[in-house]
Amino acid sequence: MAEVLVLVDSVDGNVKKPTLELLTAARQLGEPAAVVVGAAGTAAALKDQLAEYGAAKVYVAESDDISGYSVAPKAEALASPTSPASRPMSDSDLTSIGLLFAAMMPLKDG
């Protein structure tokens, strides 16, 4: 079964609703895996809630300096579990990741 990565969005130790919805949707595509990017200790506070919504694995990229960056550390965290060194990506992996990114993108008003 393909692993489906979901980038976790959280505030004050609580996972935001869209992330929980994406984890639920990911179960239909494969095995959900949460990717937590944040300050040290962020993942520990979220682990139980992520598991409750189906995250079979939680990948963690924590640093006290993370708040000073917007995108690059998150992109690296998403790329590392699926890097060629970890395992080759299949077409189904790419489709799953693409679907979840599309679901995460805000809609623009006309």
Side-chain angles (χ1 to χ4, degrees):
M1 184 177 288
E3 184 174 58
V4 182
L5 301 178
V6 176
L7 181 62
V8 175
D9 190 9
S10 66
V11 173
D12 299 328
N14 294 305
V15 179
K16 287 188 169 186
K17 186 178 177 182
T19 298
L20 300 176
E21 292 170 352
L22 287 171
L23 283 170
T24 300
R27 287 188 276 188
Q28 296 179 18
L29 299 171
E31 182 179 57
V35 179
V36 178
V37 180
T42 301
L46 306 176
K47 187 177 178 183
D48 290 338
Q49 193 175 13
L50 295 170
E52 180 182 341
Y53 279 82
K57 295 179 186 175
V58 177
Y59 293 101
V60 179
E62 294 181 333
S63 170
D64 291 330
D65 298 328
I66 203 81
S67 63
Y69 300 93
S70 59
V71 177
K74 294 175 184 176
E76 288 177 24
L78 283 171
S80 63
T82 58
S83 70
S86 300
R87 65 178 177 81
M89 290 185 74
S90 68
D91 288 341
S92 63
D93 290 336
L94 294 173
T95 301
S96 299
I97 292 169
L99 289 173
L100 288 176
F101 277 124
M104 291 170 55
M105 298 299 291
L107 296 175
K108 294 184 180 180
D109 291 333

